[in-house]
Amino acid sequence: MRKYVPKDNVQGKSYYTDRYWVAPRVPRMEVEADSHFADVLKALGKLSKESYVEIGQLVVHIDATTNVEVMTVLKETCGYTQCSEQSAVDYLAKDGEFELFYQLLNITEAKRVRVVCRIKKGEAIESITSLYHSANFAEREMFDMFGIKVNNHPFLKRILMPDDWEGHPLLKTYPMIGDEFASWYEVDKIFGKEYRDVIGPENRDPARIDRYDTKRFSRVGYEVPFDADISDGEKEQAIEYSETLLVDYTTSSKTLDERR
Amino acid sequence: MAQHQVNYASAAGLPIALTSVDKLVNWGRSNSLWPLTYGLACCAIEMMASGGARYDFDRMGTIFRASPRQADVMILAGTLSKKHAEFARRLYDQMTEPKWVISMGSCANTGGMFNTYATVQGVDRIIPVDIYLPGCAPRPETLQYALMMLQKKIRRESANMNNNTKQNLRLV
């Protein structure tokens, strides 16, 4: 028999995990000698701490303090003229660190390089906006979503969330449906905090049926006036059916087929 | 002639004329509902299709207006994010009375599938809604039906909007 697993809140979380599931790993290959990537690593020299090829992409781990230096080498010497994406991954629970990555593209060679570095919580990173203008918005988004400060950024300001927002939503510790600040944000902003009681908390379950809500729901078998208060129990009334439905077939002479 | 006895002294002496004015005013209001050109997400595509030649809202006297000052219906077509909520409310406040609101689609009704920190869980949290329109996204026919239901609703209510208590969220 299959082991019983409690199925409370099955919609909220996945309770079934395959015992034989092994998360697939992308194979990491050595950098081949005399290839383009070998030249890149040669140009980087000691700046590269660790390097391998993953799905045709060179991944270079660097020290976070040398990121501008590395980008300068990659752009000026190796021809990586585009920074297509830059962001971070939250590994705070596992290692207490953020993993920052820069996706670079060399158009003439049709090659991509990912530069990866790690910073601790509260540490800042140097901006690469002076080299790649595309990093401007990416670094702002990283600041918005993770709270990672970027030094020497021309305009470090939240990009997606409102300026007066509290919290950084892409952190693993941030709840998916938002904290208290998030759940009251629009009410506080438009009406003021004193209107929280008037408007009430968010209904996160659209399928919820409130039996005492006579405004939005009608009661089956009970005739309740619109918007009447029935919180202390409603008056029970007998269900009245239309007389055409009250044909007694047990005493009727008709057989089942004839009825149809 | 009226067969029943009419008390001309009650209600400022104008019991019959007032109901007629109601009918006339509501006839005018319901047959020239001008919605605000205001799209939030993919529902706005359906809203635009409704305004276009194929579904042709114009035949119902419904023309989209680009200014809230000229509009009297607000169609909230799409996902309302929390960042945008104050601007939606401001546009609603800028519309002149009388005004009505249609909440179009699942996202506007309840937040829909966006059960997240950044989405308003139903626009009725910030704006009083007259018609909730289900669908993801609703077809133009559905929006057209909603508009006809709104017309029906307007024809039922008193022309004097001060007597209407529907806007319970309005700030004094």
Side-chain angles (χ1 to χ4, degrees):
Chain A
M1 241 173 83
R2 188 181 289 172
K3 188 179 64 147
Y4 178 76
V5 186
K7 294 178 186 61
D8 306 329
N9 189 22
V10 286
Q11 291 189 343
K13 62 182 187 219
S14 144
Y15 65 90
Y16 178 73
T17 45
D18 193 334
R19 260 183 291 175
Y20 305 106
W21 167 259
V22 181
R25 282 199 73 122
V26 177
R28 292 175 174 178
M29 263 98 76
E30 293 283 313
V31 180
E32 287 173 33
D34 301 331
S35 65
H36 168 73
F37 288 150
D39 296 341
V40 171
L41 287 178
K42 204 175 155 195
L44 284 176
K46 282 190 175 172
L47 290 168
S48 157
K49 274 160 52 180
E50 187 193 348
S51 59
Y52 46 85
V53 176
E54 223 175 48
I55 328 180
Q57 277 187 36
L58 179 68
V59 182
V60 183
H61 288 254
I62 61 159
D63 200 52
T65 49
T66 62
N67 68 331
V68 178
E69 212 177 323
V70 170
M71 298 305 157
T72 315
V73 172
L74 286 172
K75 190 183 178 185
E76 310 292 339
T77 320
C78 308
Y80 285 86
T81 48
Q82 280 190 22
C83 175
S84 50
E85 177 59 316
Q86 190 273 311
S87 193
V89 185
D90 177 359
Y91 286 122
L92 288 179
K94 208 169 133 201
D95 314 321
E97 286 177 330
F98 288 108
E99 188 180 276
L100 273 64
F101 62 88
Y102 300 84
Q103 248 343 86
L104 304 179
L105 171 64
N106 185 338
I107 298 177
T108 47
E109 299 279 340
K111 295 276 191 229
R112 288 177 195 273
V113 163
R114 179 159 67 247
V115 179
V116 178
C117 62
R118 287 194 163 227
I119 58 167
K120 292 209 162 41
K121 194 186 177 181
E123 284 180 353
I125 189 88
E126 188 68 22
S127 172
I128 58 155
T129 321
S130 51
L131 291 164
Y132 299 101
H133 288 298
S134 59
N136 187 330
F137 277 17
E139 282 172 347
R140 275 178 68 183
E141 186 182 336
M142 185 175 73
F143 168 68
D144 188 357
M145 291 290 134
F146 295 96
I148 298 170
K149 294 237 167 56
V150 183
N151 291 335
N152 296 324
H153 190 279
F155 190 55
L156 193 63
K157 176 177 173 282
R158 279 187 184 271
I159 192 169
L160 295 172
M161 304 313 291
D163 292 345
D164 53 353
W165 191 264
E166 281 174 20
H168 300 285
L170 232 52
L171 291 174
K172 301 267 191 212
T173 48
Y174 195 88
M176 174 69 175
I177 59 168
D179 50 12
E180 202 202 333
F181 172 85
S183 67
W184 293 107
Y185 177 79
E186 77 275 22
V187 175
D188 288 356
K189 188 110 193 220
I190 296 168
F191 303 106
K193 275 194 174 150
E194 63 274 17
Y195 269 76
R196 284 186 180 191
D197 295 335
V198 178
I199 290 160
E202 285 175 330
N203 174 18
R204 290 281 177 180
D205 180 9
R208 190 191 61 160
I209 293 171
D210 186 357
R211 63 167 291 184
Y212 297 117
D213 186 353
T214 52
K215 228 176 193 171
R216 295 171 192 86
F217 303 102
S218 60
R219 303 275 293 117
V220 176
Y222 298 95
E223 197 68 39
V224 178
F226 180 79
D227 204 18
D229 182 23
I230 54 161
S231 49
D232 51 342
E234 66 267 59
K235 203 173 80 185
E236 198 163 330
Q237 284 178 339
I239 304 171
E240 284 180 22
Y241 293 105
S242 163
E243 280 198 17
T244 52
L245 292 170
L246 295 174
V247 181
D248 187 3
Y249 291 113
T250 50
T251 55
S252 166
S253 58
K254 285 180 182 170
T255 62
L256 194 71
D257 293 300
E258 277 175 293
R259 265 190 279 135
R260 283 178 186 158
Chain B
M1 283 299 290
Q3 295 296 307
H4 58 279
Q5 197 182 1
V6 177
N7 183 7
Y8 289 100
S10 72
L14 290 167
I16 301 164
L18 267 180
T19 55
S20 306
V21 169
D22 269 6
K23 276 223 174 89
L24 181 71
V25 169
N26 285 339
W27 171 79
R29 279 176 183 169
S30 62
N31 287 311
S32 69
L33 284 172
W34 286 358
L36 183 62
T37 315
Y38 184 50
L40 290 168
C42 32
C43 280
I45 303 294
E46 300 294 301
M47 190 178 73
M48 283 183 261
S50 313
R54 192 184 180 92
Y55 294 95
D56 197 13
F57 262 15
D58 194 7
R59 71 204 150 105
M60 299 158 72
T62 296
I63 304 169
F64 286 94
R65 305 299 297 186
S67 162
R69 303 289 187 200
Q70 298 169 355
D72 44 19
V73 183
M74 189 177 205
I75 301 175
L76 282 150
T79 319
L80 183 64
S81 69
K82 296 208 175 194
K83 190 181 184 179
H84 194 74
E86 66 172 301
F87 309 117
R89 177 70 200 194
R90 190 187 297 171
L91 284 171
Y92 174 77
D93 288 338
Q94 282 173 346
M95 282 161 60
T96 48
E97 298 268 1
K99 51 192 171 186
W100 298 274
V101 177
I102 294 175
S103 162
M104 182 180 179
S106 299
C107 297
N109 292 339
T110 65
M113 64 182 204
F114 298 105
N115 190 8
T116 67
Y117 58 90
T119 308
V120 176
Q121 300 294 305
V123 293
D124 51 2
R125 285 177 66 75
I126 57 159
I127 293 169
V129 174
D130 290 279
I131 306 277
Y132 294 90
L133 175 52
C136 181
R139 295 275 307 151
E141 293 95 327
T142 324
L143 182 58
Q144 188 180 317
Y145 182 62
L147 215 90
M148 284 154 71
M149 292 298 282
L150 184 61
Q151 286 182 331
K152 253 186 173 173
K153 185 178 177 174
I154 292 167
R155 285 166 196 152
R156 268 211 324 265
E157 62 190 22
S158 162
N160 183 5
M161 290 295 282
N162 294 333
N163 292 342
N164 295 348
T165 53
K166 61 150 188 160
Q167 292 178 357
N168 50 0
L169 280 181
R170 193 196 307 159
L171 289 178
V172 182

